[in-house]
Amino acid sequence: MSKKVINVALLGLGTVGTGVYKVLKMQQDDMEDKIGARAEIKKILVRNLKKAAAKIEEPELLTNDWKEILEDDSIEIVIEVMGGIEPAKTYMLEALKAGKHVVTANKDLVASYGQKVLDCAAANNRDFLFEAAVAGGIPIIRPLKQCLAGNHLSEVVGIVNGTTNFILTKMTQEGMEFAEALALATRLGYAEADPTADIQGLDAGRKMAILASIAFNSRVTFEDVITEGITHISAKDIRYARELGCVIKLMGLARNTDSGIEVRVQPMLVPQEHPLATVNDSYNAVFVKGDAVGDAMFYGRGAGEMPTASAIVGDVFDIVRNILFNCTGRISCTCYKNLPVKEAEDIESRFFMRLHVDDRPGVLAGIASVLGNNNVSIAQMIQRHKDGDLAEIVVVTSKVREGNFNDAMMIVEGLNAVHKISSVIRVYGGQR
């Protein structure tokens, strides 16, 4: 096996692109011994040449012309870190058709158009790798496709958004309300200027679509994922969760059931003894259940310049090895099944709900009657606080079909004695 140089093109030089540039530089001295060749950046595609020139040592690598990369046959790997759907999707497909391999961190694109790009890669016997699209520097895509391939996986659950986990950690540990914790996250750079994708669960939803597709070998797109954010979570909810022996986390949950795949992102009460309950600040973790491996958890930095670059460069190294041994395109799309994806109303969950009601006899019995008539069983109930003539109660249900629970809530909300349903949050795990 002769040692050689593999030329790489980098599309984008933002936070992640700059990290990739740095990591490849850091690895230069070890690269030939580690993977049998050197991966060197030959071109970097940017919009603003002057701004980008200040970030790197070799401004001569910069271009704003995609065709310079596409038509250069010496460039064998394209790394896409531009983000967004277009022109990223067009560039990826054109690169694959031109015989180049592609690495990306683009979760938006993979979650909605992954199958199209994977099919194109397979048709051209090229690699399309996207480890960095989920959970930043945490290895999870490759373990699911390779290391855990000997399992039938039943569940993938995790904390896959660092911004929301930081916010909920501050609310839990310091008693902050949501707005205060979000402001802190923004000041420290954990939240974007527009945090909508994070706090509404959309970012995590895209990642769960990718994880579910790979784990269960059946295509799940972002449009299939039930998403709910954390904007309605209050410090009071978190205090009640603590009384119940739980913490509140924004959880991505995918299950493979006999009646189909359920995949959702929702705030949930997580029992304090569960490993995910201890994942704090901006850290991410993914917990996997398999029939052979049992339980396994992957934990680490879920985003950021260098952790994400770590995953991207790992993919580049994998492709370099494949090129050297002439075995490219060996692992493409693994979705060989066509399983149904369950509707929200057919999923079974446990629920935590906090209500303000009249403080008088018979109210609790009336609420319990409505719940019972809709097959909603009460597992726990707390009444601790009063607000004038109103009582605040917390009800935790046993596992129930969501459609039944929603029907019950419509009736409860209409009861004269019920002034407000302040919170409805799902509970992860526990009794049926």
Side-chain angles (χ1 to χ4, degrees):
M1 181 180 68
S2 61
K3 295 183 180 179
K4 56 184 292 190
V5 172
I6 303 294
N7 286 323
V8 175
L10 184 60
L11 312 187
L13 196 64
T15 300
V16 175
T18 303
V20 172
Y21 175 86
K22 290 177 183 177
V23 173
L24 284 172
K25 286 286 186 185
M26 289 159 50
Q27 287 290 318
Q28 282 299 311
D29 291 343
D30 295 331
M31 214 179 286
E32 285 192 10
D33 292 328
K34 186 177 286 188
I35 59 174
R38 288 199 322 276
E40 293 185 353
I41 295 176
K42 186 175 183 182
K43 287 291 180 182
I44 304 174
L45 182 69
V46 296
R47 293 191 183 93
N48 188 321
L49 294 171
K50 184 177 180 181
K51 182 178 178 182
K55 296 182 177 183
I56 61 173
E57 299 170 7
E58 310 105 323
E60 66 274 11
L61 300 179
L62 300 172
T63 180
N64 55 13
D65 184 358
W66 162 238
K67 286 189 176 179
E68 280 191 34
I69 295 170
L70 182 65
E71 295 174 359
D72 186 341
D73 291 338
S74 73
I75 294 174
E76 298 186 65
I77 303 173
V78 171
I79 305 169
E80 185 277 313
V81 285
M82 303 166 63
I85 303 300
E86 288 293 356
K89 177 162 67 73
T90 296
Y91 289 171
M92 286 185 195
L93 294 173
E94 288 180 349
L96 290 166
K97 290 173 184 175
K100 304 180 192 302
H101 308 276
V102 174
V103 175
T104 186
N106 195 329
K107 59 185 172 291
D108 297 23
L109 192 148
V110 176
S112 294
Y113 299 98
Q115 183 173 8
K116 183 172 185 178
V117 183
L118 283 163
D119 287 348
C120 182
N124 291 279
N125 194 35
R126 290 298 178 263
D127 288 327
F128 173 54
L129 302 183
F130 46 92
E131 184 64 63
V134 178
I138 303 171
I140 186 62
I141 302 299
R142 189 175 285 103
L144 289 178
K145 281 197 170 192
Q146 299 183 43
C147 310
L148 297 173
N151 286 260
H152 295 104
L153 299 177
S154 58
E155 181 174 290
V156 178
V157 59
I159 297 165
V160 294
N161 182 272
T163 301
T164 51
N165 202 40
F166 177 85
I167 290 169
L168 291 172
T169 298
K170 291 301 175 185
M171 293 175 70
T172 300
Q173 295 182 349
E174 301 182 24
M176 293 182 181
E177 290 292 354
F178 171 78
E180 183 184 3
L182 173 59
L184 176 62
T186 303
R187 286 199 305 274
L188 296 177
Y190 291 114
E192 302 285 348
D194 179 3
T196 303
D198 293 322
I199 63 176
Q200 296 294 350
L202 308 180
D203 172 84
R206 294 181 174 100
K207 295 169 182 174
M208 291 310 299
I210 297 168
L211 290 179
S213 297
I214 296 169
F216 308 139
N217 304 113
S218 183
R219 178 63 51 195
V220 176
T221 66
F222 171 59
E223 291 71 22
D224 295 320
V225 183
I226 301 157
T227 57
E228 179 185 329
I230 64 168
T231 55
H232 64 289
I233 302 297
S234 71
K236 186 173 284 188
D237 294 322
I238 287 172
R239 288 195 295 271
Y240 273 119
R242 186 180 293 119
E243 286 190 48
L244 295 165
C246 296
V247 296
I248 296 177
K249 298 289 187 182
L250 183 67
M251 299 281 276
L253 175 59
R255 285 195 180 113
N256 190 9
T257 74
D258 291 340
S259 55
I261 295 171
E262 63 178 71
V263 56
R264 49 202 170 112
V265 171
Q266 294 163 330
M268 297 183 189
L269 275 73
V270 181
Q272 289 176 349
E273 63 270 18
H274 194 282
L276 290 173
T278 62
V279 178
N280 290 319
D281 296 315
S282 62
Y283 280 87
N284 283 194
V286 180
F287 196 83
V288 177
K289 291 180 181 291
D291 59 353
V293 74
D295 295 339
M297 191 168 88
F298 302 80
Y299 170 86
R301 292 285 184 188
E305 176 187 60
M306 299 304 273
T308 306
S310 167
I312 290 169
V313 172
D315 279 348
V316 171
F317 284 5
D318 214 23
I319 292 173
V320 168
R321 292 186 181 106
N322 289 345
I323 291 171
L324 294 178
F325 285 95
N326 195 31
C327 58
T328 58
R330 62 192 176 87
I331 301 177
S332 188
C333 182
T334 54
C335 294
Y336 56 87
K337 298 179 182 178
N338 187 23
L339 302 175
V341 178
K342 295 169 74 170
E343 298 292 335
E345 63 181 13
D346 293 323
I347 294 173
E348 289 189 338
S349 300
R350 297 177 67 211
F351 288 88
F352 161 104
M353 54 181 170
R354 180 164 59 87
L355 309 90
H356 285 88
V357 302
D358 286 342
D359 186 19
R360 56 182 172 81
V363 171
L364 297 184
I367 293 172
S369 177
V370 170
L371 296 177
N373 289 339
N374 285 274
N375 297 315
V376 180
S377 175
I378 297 174
Q380 291 173 274
M381 183 177 286
I382 300 173
Q383 180 178 346
R384 293 282 167 80
H385 305 284
K386 290 187 178 181
D387 183 7
D389 294 331
L390 299 182
E392 184 174 64
I393 64 170
V394 167
V395 175
V396 179
T397 74
S398 297
K399 193 170 286 188
V400 58
R401 180 178 170 274
E402 294 217 9
N404 289 33
F405 179 83
N406 293 336
D407 291 343
M409 285 300 94
M410 289 181 64
I411 299 171
V412 168
E413 196 169 21
L415 295 175
N416 290 333
V418 176
H419 289 251
K420 184 180 181 182
I421 300 176
S422 300
S423 296
V424 174
I425 308 171
R426 285 150 191 86
V427 180
Y428 175 71
Q431 62 186 318
R432 294 197 60 81

